[in-house]
Amino acid sequence: MKMSQNDQETALPRCPGCEEPLEPGDLFCGACGYDLSAVPEPPRDRPTIAIATAAGAPAGAGPEEPGASGDFELAAPAPAADGTAPDPRAAADPVAAPPAGTKVCVACRAGRVDNDGYCENCGHAQPRERDHMEQELGSVAAVTDRGLRHHRNEDSFAISTTALPDGSPAVLAIVCDGVSSASRPDEASAAATAAANESLLESLPRGTHPQQAMHDAIVAAAESVNRLALEPGRAAEQDPHRHQNAPACTLVGAIMANGLLFVGWVGDSRVYWVPEDRSSPPARLTEDDSWAAQMVAAGLMNEAEAYADERAHAITGWLGADSYELEPHTASFKPDRPGIVVVCTDGLWNYAESAAEMSAAVPADAYERPLHGAQVLVGHALDGGGHDNVTVALLPFAVPVQGAGSAYSGG
């Protein structure tokens, strides 16, 4: 059983500058760029007090630093030979301009960004490419965001379209959520997303039934994550604080084809159905692989009690070399009216858990503007606190013309 990001957060140390959670071994805060090497060494005789005041000791709490007394003064710059006052900006040593083509810091606009994503001049953490990503492909769209509490985005998504053997279109969305208690969760989610998407784009045009194609895509994704644990040159010392667990992630996906909707998942990322006509009832189409879901299924707790428990988000199924026997879940549906398919990680549904809450959060024009709808949903999670990475894909579902027929039967 693995714990989700929210369950791990309270155990992590906090940045002295912004109070954001830190990973063991971090040299800079990923949220504000605080140089953690500058945090003073706590006194050995009162460690608990020193930790609590690491952001800045109270006045008189320790010996004065050289030059800290009030009689220290800066020397005034000498006037120029012609008697004019010197330019005060010239008093400081200028930062040498980085060579052409070098990535420049977004904060100081002068320092070069090193390979780890920090400015060599001011130490500011630079936005990573995955911190916020958006994609629109025809009528399908997806957005992912790092959120407000985590130093990197461990979610990943893929949206794509292809054609079935009869020439009819198929629309795909895959969303993965890295397991933060495992090593390299960001790589796990990226590998799983790419493998599942590639598998679907290869099998659907060959005529594989979409539900079987989704099952095979999840297996391919699991194999890609398993391979990460076997990669040479990725020894435990490169990630010492997470070496105990192999890379892992959850996965959820959806396929729209021939008037049918096919979903597949492992873990606690979800698919919701929100009819365009909001007077019709919405629905959640997946069941979590989680402690809470097990308690409800066993009749030991009702849903409200289970999800209020601190163990609720401990997942019981995931992709990774240390997972239990892989059990991909798949299902098919035949909606009788237009609607929006919402494919998301728990970073969103934590703030809109029930189908009714998700329906209320999806904007009224999401069917016509799926990218805008996905942006609004990510904003909904950020406004709620943004405690986790947030990823959502929206697939507007159109009901086929009456009598058009379907190559597949619903399930």
Side-chain angles (χ1 to χ4, degrees), residues 381-397:
L382 299 181
D383 290 343
H387 285 76
D388 202 349
N389 308 142
V390 189
T391 303
V392 58
L394 295 186
L395 297 80
F397 187 97

Side-chain angles (χ1 to χ4, degrees), residues 73-367:
E73 295 182 2
L74 289 172
D82 59 2
T84 59
D87 185 345
R89 294 170 297 181
D93 293 333
V95 178
T102 302
K103 188 174 181 181
V104 177
C105 175
V106 299
C108 69
R109 300 290 181 182
R112 187 182 76 88
V113 177
D114 64 20
N115 293 333
D116 293 325
Y118 293 92
C119 175
E120 293 182 343
N121 176 45
C122 69
H124 191 90
Q126 305 300 296
R128 299 173 176 88
E129 181 184 3
R130 285 176 64 173
D131 280 0
H132 185 93
M133 298 177 67
E134 302 181 356
Q135 186 180 0
E136 189 171 31
L137 185 63
S139 64
V140 60
V143 177
T144 185
D145 191 272
R146 186 187 69 176
L148 304 178
R149 301 294 181 125
H150 290 284
H151 74 292
R152 65 180 173 188
N153 191 353
E154 296 168 357
D155 288 358
S156 184
F157 73 80
I159 55 175
S160 54
T161 60
T162 188
L164 302 179
D166 63 0
S168 61
V171 181
L172 327 172
I174 300 292
V175 167
C176 293
D177 182 355
V179 176
S180 61
S181 59
S183 63
R184 296 147 58 199
D186 52 333
E187 295 181 38
S189 65
T193 300
N197 187 60
E198 182 180 346
S199 176
L200 290 173
L201 291 178
E202 182 179 315
S203 62
L204 289 172
R206 291 201 317 259
T208 305
H209 190 283
Q211 195 163 343
Q212 181 63 47
M214 179 62 78
H215 179 279
D216 296 344
I218 294 174
V219 172
E223 292 173 348
S224 72
V225 177
N226 291 349
R227 286 193 292 271
L228 291 178
L230 304 175
E231 284 183 358
R234 301 305 299 265
E237 59 266 21
Q238 295 187 12
D239 206 356
H241 55 290
R242 285 179 170 159
H243 69 274
Q244 70 277 15
N245 290 327
C249 68
T250 68
L251 181 148
V252 66
I255 303 171
M256 296 190 311
N258 277 332
L260 298 175
L261 172 63
F262 304 89
V263 301
W265 72 98
V266 172
D268 63 349
S269 293
R270 295 180 175 180
V271 178
Y272 291 84
W273 166 252
V274 178
E276 186 183 15
D277 177 3
R278 300 303 171 85
S279 65
S280 300
R284 172 155 63 96
L285 306 182
T286 57
E287 291 293 336
D288 299 343
D289 289 318
S290 70
W291 180 91
Q294 283 191 342
M295 294 298 103
V296 174
L300 300 176
M301 291 182 174
N302 63 39
E303 192 163 296
E305 293 170 337
Y307 280 98
D309 193 283
E310 62 182 7
R311 296 164 290 181
H313 291 277
I315 58 175
T316 56
W318 62 88
L319 308 183
D322 62 353
S323 67
Y324 305 120
E325 183 178 356
L326 179 65
E327 295 183 10
H329 310 290
T330 62
S332 62
F333 304 89
K334 189 175 184 179
D336 61 356
R337 64 201 64 199
I340 292 287
V341 180
V342 181
V343 185
C344 66
T345 61
D346 62 344
L348 171 60
W349 68 252
N350 277 331
Y351 301 99
E353 187 166 330
S354 70
E357 290 171 325
M358 184 62 72
S359 179
V362 174
D365 62 351
Y367 188 85

Side-chain angles (χ1 to χ4, degrees), residues 27-42:
L27 299 180
F28 294 90
C29 173
C32 69
Y34 193 101
D35 184 356
L36 300 175
S37 65
V39 179
E41 186 72 23

